[in-house]
Every structure is written in structure tokens, then in C-alpha cells.
Amino acid sequence: SVGARRVTPRVEIWVTNPGPPIPEDVRAHLFERFYRGRQPASGEHVGLGLAIADQMVRQMCGSWRVECGDGLAVFAVSLPGCSATPAERGPGERVGS
């Protein structure tokens, strides 16, 4: 599942995936380039997805939280919120401008 909420002055977006818990030693490296955890080398994944996502989040002054338990893994991003709602912004005005 995917969700979002405003936690003034920030916005939190999260994705929840069912599955076994991610071991703590693996979680410590999830956002490193080319890290694939304990998966056997298959060629399907090169270990860049979370590293790229992490760089994007950092560029927006955001942070990550990863939690595991009860058969779920939650990846949550906290980002600075914009000061205006879409209705308050002018046509074509970008968020954060």
C-alpha cells in the first residue's frame, strides 16, 4: 500500500510491502549503490534503485525511515512541505517556487 500525510511543516510518503523482515545488518546498507542484500547474483537487479531514490530525497532535504515487523516492511520518506496548496498556487507555478 502507499500513503501520504502532512506532518506540518513536512510531508511524509510511505510504501508498505508484505514479506519477511529485512535484517538489521541489511537495512544498514539498503541505500548504498550496487548493494543487493542477500540475494544471489541474478543480473535482474543491479542495486541502484534505492541509491538513486536516496539521492533524490537528499536533494530535496528529505530523510528516510525503514521499519520492519508483523510481516511488513515500511519505507517512508519525509520531505519539506510546500507553503501553498495547489488551489493557492497560480497556473503553472511549481511547488517550492
Side-chain angles (χ1 to χ4, degrees):
S1 67
V2 176
R5 67 180 174 191
R6 180 178 286 275
V7 184
T8 305
R10 300 182 72 78
V11 173
E12 186 174 88
I13 304 164
W14 66 89
V15 176
T16 303
N17 291 317
I22 302 168
E24 191 65 41
D25 63 320
V26 172
R27 272 191 266 167
H29 301 282
L30 282 176
F31 299 99
E32 294 175 10
R33 287 181 294 166
F34 306 113
Y35 184 77
R36 298 190 310 178
R38 297 181 179 156
Q39 295 179 356
S42 66
E44 293 178 28
H45 306 282
V46 295
L48 287 174
L50 287 176
I52 292 169
D54 182 49
Q55 289 301 311
M56 293 170 58
V57 167
R58 288 173 187 256
Q59 289 294 316
M60 293 183 281
C61 300
S63 61
W64 286 94
R65 187 179 82 249
V66 179
E67 298 175 353
C68 294
D70 297 327
L72 297 173
V74 178
F75 286 76
V77 172
S78 177
L79 299 168
C82 63
S83 59
T85 66
E88 296 168 333
R89 287 193 297 270
E93 186 179 347
R94 295 184 318 172
V95 173
S97 58

